[in-house]
Amino acid sequence: MSDSPSVSPQELSQRFAQMVMMQAQNVLYLLGRLSPPGEGPPPQLAEAKMLIDQLEMLQVKTQNNLTGQEAKLLENTLTQMRLAFVETTGGTSPAMMPRSTAYDDFGLPPEEEEAAAPAPEFSAVPQQAPAAPADAPKPEPVEDKKKFFKSYG
């Protein structure tokens, strides 16, 4: 936070826009969209999906607390990032991608609201864990565990 006890609404709006644009830039980088074809790292789909999910969370958590301009920026950015994801994956929407294991690292318990919500769509795409260091212990395989995903549609 800043040393100043109060920050103007205009400065807060500017910081919000910068944060949204930085997240979008990170999504595009992870999708390999900021490098010429054949150069740069390969797309990192799980990580890009996680950032898109974070932008969605921000949209939900800030609902009715944003100016019209901020809400429109966030909605347009989300639309563009989802489209870039679908284009990069050749038609696979982020909702059909396996959930990143990075979420599991936090050990957050499911909320009661999720249990009351209608059953979300699920993906038959097998989950791929990120590469573990060579000296890391190998996790035991988990069978008969279904993953469910929300739809962007």
Side-chain angles (χ1 to χ4, degrees):
M1 293 235 168
S2 116
D3 294 334
S4 173
S6 65
V7 179
S8 72
Q10 293 82 11
E11 187 175 351
L12 288 175
S13 287
Q14 183 179 11
R15 289 180 185 178
F16 180 81
Q18 289 171 340
M19 191 238 2
V20 170
M21 298 314 295
M22 286 181 78
Q23 283 287 88
Q25 185 176 12
N26 289 334
V27 170
L28 295 175
Y29 174 78
L30 290 169
L31 292 175
R33 296 291 200 108
L34 299 181
S35 302
E39 296 179 21
Q44 299 173 27
L45 301 178
E47 291 80 3
K49 181 186 181 311
M50 186 170 64
L51 292 181
I52 293 170
D53 289 346
Q54 288 175 359
L55 284 170
E56 286 181 335
M57 174 275 309
L58 186 66
Q59 184 180 43
V60 169
K61 292 289 189 175
T62 59
Q63 192 170 18
N64 300 324
N65 287 323
L66 299 176
T67 66
Q69 197 174 22
E70 291 167 339
K72 187 173 183 177
L73 170 70
L74 186 53
E75 180 61 37
N76 289 342
T77 301
L78 267 168
T79 300
Q80 291 173 3
M81 295 306 99
R82 290 174 186 142
L83 183 60
F85 188 96
V86 169
E87 289 173 353
T88 301
T89 61
T92 303
S93 75
M96 297 304 293
M97 294 300 297
R99 188 173 134 191
S100 171
T101 56
Y103 289 122
D104 299 332
D105 293 342
F106 295 106
L108 298 174
E111 300 222 4
E112 293 177 6
E113 296 172 14
E114 292 177 323
E121 297 179 28
F122 68 94
S123 170
V125 178
Q127 182 174 354
Q128 295 181 5
D135 60 340
K138 294 187 179 189
E140 294 185 27
V142 178
E143 295 182 11
D144 297 329
K145 186 175 179 182
K146 294 182 181 179
K147 296 283 183 173
F148 295 92
F149 303 97
K150 64 182 171 198
S151 171
Y152 288 102

